[in-house]
Amino acid sequence: MASTGTGIPLDAAAIISTVLEGILYGLSVFMFIGTICTFTYKKRMRDVNRPVAAVAVSLFLLSTTHMVVDIIRIEEGLVKYRNTFPGGPVAFFADDTQETYVIKSAVIVMQTLLGDGVVIYRCYVVWQSVWVIILPCMMWCAVAVCGTHMVYDFSLANNAESVFTDETGRWVAAFITLTFLTNLFSSGLLAYRIWIIEREASTIRARKGIMPIVRMLVDAAILYFVSNCAAIICFARSNNGLYVIGDLINPIISIAFYMVFIRIAINKDTQEFLSAVYVGTGESRDRPKDPTALSYAVFAA
């Protein structure tokens, strides 16, 4: 499948994206270690929130896989097949049917689904209602369908369509747009519910702790929002910058996930707010007494 995009050459885009992704990946590794430490420090193994650990490790493994595949792809395009691939490195990176490109696309889809799934589950935890997450779940399923079909189209060796046009382009556009809308809608529901809780909270501690939580959610949402907007703009303009943004979104999803836990763990007001909310609403019986554990109960799987 040949790219018909404009902008920077694809070999240059591959180098730029791999370098920038490597920087963000290094940051995500550091934050992954911090996340693991926040809910394992001074805790027994049976007290560790295993679903949170599973999600964090899964995101780390997916990010690592994507990074390794990108390095392999760079080596193949610029070294191994530089003089033997028809059209040279530019044609190699324009060929979206390459095995390495299919694999990295599948990794992006899986990481996107995992990240969006976590946000939707957080909505369920704070709303305690299945009805609230019906639409986000339907949108999540649509993202899964579009992502799967997109990767399948990439895997067709005899497919000569462009990633920006024709049938494949429509699936790519649907995947990017639905991902953007799913995350935006779910984050909005989450922030709105926390605002409602703040209005019902009567203690000064609770009111003091609401803004750090909102800032955490907004920061994480904006980080993902901006990257998705950039991807949509690049796709709409058929710009090869889409390949760069696509690689950067992978570690950004992990960073947005990790930063919530780290900032909750180091913010005393946030923990006091969560404790006050559940004590004040009579839900403390079903929640852990430790403030940090309460934070994880709200924002983790």
Side-chain angles (χ1 to χ4, degrees), residues 207-223:
R207 294 186 177 276
K208 186 179 179 181
I210 184 65
M211 288 311 298
I213 296 179
V214 173
R215 282 196 296 267
M216 292 172 200
L217 297 175
V218 169
D219 289 347
I222 287 177
L223 186 63

Side-chain angles (χ1 to χ4, degrees), residues 14 46 70-72 76 87 153 218-219 222 248 262 283 292-293:
R46 66 181 182 181
D70 266 348
I71 294 173
I72 294 174
E76 289 181 347
D153 274 3
V218 169
D219 289 347
I222 287 177
L248 298 185
I262 293 175
E283 299 181 19
T292 304

Side-chain angles (χ1 to χ4, degrees), residues 148-165:
T148 301
H149 203 291
M150 178 184 70
V151 174
Y152 173 73
D153 274 3
F154 287 155
S155 67
L156 299 180
N158 60 346
N159 193 339
E161 296 176 352
S162 168
V163 70
F164 295 107
T165 58

Side-chain angles (χ1 to χ4, degrees), residues 84-106:
T84 59
F85 194 87
V90 174
F92 176 87
F93 292 112
D95 184 9
D96 297 334
T97 62
Q98 289 288 327
E99 182 180 359
T100 50
Y101 189 82
V102 175
I103 293 174
K104 65 184 285 185
S105 298

